[in-house]
Amino acid sequence: MSRQPYREISEEEKKFVEWYKEHEEGKYEKPSMTADIAIFSVFGENPLDNRIDSDKKLKLLLIKRGNHPCKDMYALPGGFVDKGETIDEAAERELKEETGIECGFLEQIRTFSDPGRDPRGWTMTGSYLALIDASKYKIQAGDDAKEATWFDVSMQKDEQGRWKLELRNGETYLYALLEDTAKEGREITPRFQFI
């Protein structure tokens, strides 16, 4: 997919870009880019009922990876941004390929850029969030996802002020400890880190 530039480029700028590609471009290593999607739904007899004592449950959709790295482990749906594609387009495409969901609303939340986060090499990811009505979709694993499964979500704060995130589907139980790493005075909302 070839995209047109957003603006006209002057001859002087074209010469600079040619010079840059010849002399400078290779100086800077470039990361790969991925998009990962946390897609939630509310389940229960009446998901729109906002009473605290209703039967609603918040669930998160995870896929089981069919390939390495992390083969047979649960993960958020997502994958690499293809050449000529925006990260938003990649998020929509990967979600459809791996779960069968076409979601018109994905909100980018944060970029994760730790150079050691992927064993394949330096890979940055844009994380996305969506809340859908699961009753309107037929979830079906595809592409490199072996299965797609909804997990019950719960979070509780422990005595050290950390959050325990629990995901459960039948006998499958996943959890993580999260710590608020926001710097005082700089962040309005919490920023969590796995510990």
Side-chain angles (χ1 to χ4, degrees), residues 76-96:
L76 295 173
F80 285 96
V81 177
D82 289 341
K83 186 174 182 170
E85 183 177 53
T86 69
I87 191 168
D88 292 342
E89 291 167 342
E92 290 175 18
R93 176 184 51 76
E94 285 289 340
L95 185 61
K96 182 166 183 357

Side-chain angles (χ1 to χ4, degrees), residues 155-165 176-180 192-193 195:
M155 273 180 77
Q156 292 182 346
K157 206 169 197 178
D158 71 11
E159 51 281 346
Q160 286 92 20
R162 301 172 303 185
W163 289 90
K164 184 176 183 183
L165 170 66
L177 284 176
L178 306 170
E179 186 173 61
D180 184 355
F192 294 113
Q193 174 178 315
I195 55 174

Side-chain angles (χ1 to χ4, degrees), residues 5 50 55 59 61 94 98 102 119 132 149 162 170 189 195:
N50 60 6
D55 66 342
K59 295 192 180 213
L61 185 63
E94 285 289 340
E98 293 188 349
E102 288 187 67
I132 67 164
T149 308
R162 301 172 303 185
T189 57
I195 55 174

Side-chain angles (χ1 to χ4, degrees), residues 17-36:
V17 170
E18 288 172 17
W19 174 87
Y20 179 85
K21 286 182 177 181
E22 186 177 329
H23 295 95
E24 295 286 316
E25 189 172 37
K27 284 174 128 179
Y28 307 104
E29 187 175 344
K30 293 176 178 53
S32 296
M33 190 72 196
T34 62
D36 290 321

Side-chain angles (χ1 to χ4, degrees), residues 29 32 38 40 44 48-49 54 57 64 71-73 81 94-95 103 116 140-141 152 155 170 175 180 186:
E29 187 175 344
S32 296
F40 293 92
L48 299 178
D49 183 352
S54 74
K57 285 190 185 246
K64 186 179 270 191
K71 185 176 180 181
D72 295 323
M73 296 178 80
V81 177
E94 285 289 340
L95 185 61
C103 182
Q140 185 170 342
D152 293 334
M155 273 180 77
Y175 75 93
D180 184 355
R186 292 182 64 202

Side-chain angles (χ1 to χ4, degrees), residues 31-156:
S32 296
M33 190 72 196
T34 62
D36 290 321
I37 305 98
I39 192 149
F40 293 92
S41 189
V42 177
F43 286 71
E45 201 169 301
N46 185 359
L48 299 178
D49 183 352
N50 60 6
R51 289 177 299 154
I52 292 173
D53 62 346
S54 74
D55 66 342
K56 296 181 304 208
K57 285 190 185 246
L58 180 66
K59 295 192 180 213
L60 172 67
L61 185 63
L62 296 179
I63 55 110
K64 186 179 270 191
R65 290 185 53 82
N67 299 324
H68 290 292
C70 303
K71 185 176 180 181
D72 295 323
M73 296 178 80
Y74 285 101
L76 295 173
F80 285 96
V81 177
D82 289 341
K83 186 174 182 170
E85 183 177 53
T86 69
I87 191 168
D88 292 342
E89 291 167 342
E92 290 175 18
R93 176 184 51 76
E94 285 289 340
L95 185 61
K96 182 166 183 357
E97 287 176 0
E98 293 188 349
T99 67
I101 294 175
E102 288 187 67
C103 182
F105 177 78
L106 295 174
E107 180 72 26
Q108 189 173 15
I109 301 300
R110 183 173 170 208
T111 301
F112 293 89
S113 61
D114 180 349
R117 62 180 295 278
D118 190 320
R120 295 168 291 192
W122 186 19
T123 305
M124 296 171 59
T125 193
S127 60
Y128 285 79
L129 175 72
L131 181 62
I132 67 164
D133 180 352
S135 67
K136 295 182 178 178
Y137 296 92
K138 181 178 189 283
I139 307 302
Q140 185 170 342
D143 194 29
D144 56 351
K146 284 173 107 171
E147 57 184 71
T149 308
W150 288 104
F151 281 76
D152 293 334
V153 177
S154 66
M155 273 180 77
Q156 292 182 346

